[in-house]
Amino acid sequence: GPWDASKRISGPFVVIGVNSGTSLDAVDAAACTLEWKGELLVVREVGPLHSVAFPDQLRMSVAAVAGNEPVGIREVLLAERGITDLYIQAVKEVLTETSALFVAAHGQTCWHEPRSRITCQLLNAQALAHAVDLPVAHEFRQGDVARGGQGAPLSPVADAVMFGAAQHTVAVVNLGGVANVTLLPAGAALAPLSAQGEDAGPCNLLLDGLAGRVFQGSARFDE
């Protein structure tokens, strides 16, 4: 794994992370400069950043794919192509300001049912890699789900790297489409896999829906 000293990169290196959440508002890409300092993986800098908003038609298509009503495989693949195009656009914008070693791309979750060992994120990683001419790391949840895990949340290891240097327990709360909480024991930065996290319940998914009803469709979120 990345904490294997024999596989570490010497000196600073840049990775571009790109993600889209359950709120279906935008694809966000961010360059992150990292460096190993002994046993610590240190975040040197975050940025440049770029967001690409979801077109209304794609938002509706992805919502349909993620819903409970049946859709055809062509609709699923068209939604995946649309998501992939947004990922390509976001990463290319970041690459106008920096170079990178590789891209880490999550994709758009359309179904997550770990008790049945099912999780699906819409993204054509091969198309993304070809378009930006960089290796792409992807399918972050599948390995854990295949081993009987929940495959979520993903944030605890990143939280440990960014906030785990404290010598006391730290709680990190992420208010996304679904809220989740990470508990970091003292010194978690040296042992990121010691971080624990779980989903706490719906957050912006409900707030965005409420805003849409209150403002009768003129706003998709509470500004």
Side-chain angles (χ1 to χ4, degrees):
W3 273 263
D4 182 344
S6 66
K7 299 178 182 178
R8 292 177 187 170
I9 298 168
S10 178
F13 59 98
V14 178
V15 175
I16 296 176
V18 56
N19 194 16
S20 52
T22 49
S23 296
L24 300 178
D25 53 359
V27 170
D28 300 311
C32 187
T33 304
L34 306 168
E35 185 175 8
W36 285 102
K37 289 295 183 181
E39 295 299 309
L40 283 175
L41 181 60
V42 178
V43 179
R44 288 296 186 199
E45 183 181 1
V46 176
L49 317 170
H50 190 76
S51 293
V52 180
F54 269 67
D56 289 340
Q57 183 59 51
L58 180 60
R59 182 183 300 105
M60 290 187 291
S61 297
V62 174
V65 169
N68 290 319
E69 296 299 321
V71 295
I73 187 63
R74 185 173 187 273
E75 284 70 27
V76 175
L77 294 175
L78 286 173
E80 180 180 77
R81 189 185 71 180
I83 290 288
T84 302
D85 287 345
L86 295 190
Y87 272 59
I88 291 169
Q89 184 179 343
V91 172
K92 281 187 172 182
E93 287 292 339
V94 172
L95 286 171
T96 64
E97 301 181 54
T98 186
S99 58
L101 188 65
F102 66 92
V103 174
H106 175 267
Q108 177 65 48
T109 297
C110 65
W111 199 264
H112 188 69
E113 189 180 329
R115 66 180 178 275
S116 301
R117 298 192 179 182
I118 296 171
T119 186
C120 180
Q121 286 73 44
L122 299 176
L123 178 68
N124 186 331
Q126 297 291 337
L128 174 59
H130 175 73
V132 303
D133 197 25
L134 286 171
V136 174
H138 60 107
E139 294 190 347
F140 303 126
R141 302 182 189 274
Q142 278 79 352
D144 187 57
V145 170
R147 292 170 176 81
Q150 293 296 302
L154 288 178
S155 55
V157 172
D159 290 338
V161 171
M162 297 190 71
F163 307 111
Q167 295 307 306
H168 53 80
T169 301
V170 173
V172 181
V173 179
N174 171 45
L175 301 178
V178 175
N180 52 64
V181 180
T182 299
L183 289 179
L184 303 173
L190 289 171
L193 296 182
S194 67
Q196 296 182 334
E198 61 182 20
D199 289 336
C203 186
N204 285 327
L205 275 174
L206 289 181
L207 294 176
D208 290 352
L210 180 61
R213 291 197 175 197
V214 169
F215 297 109
Q216 299 180 343
S218 64
R220 290 194 301 270
F221 60 92
D222 182 3
E223 299 186 56

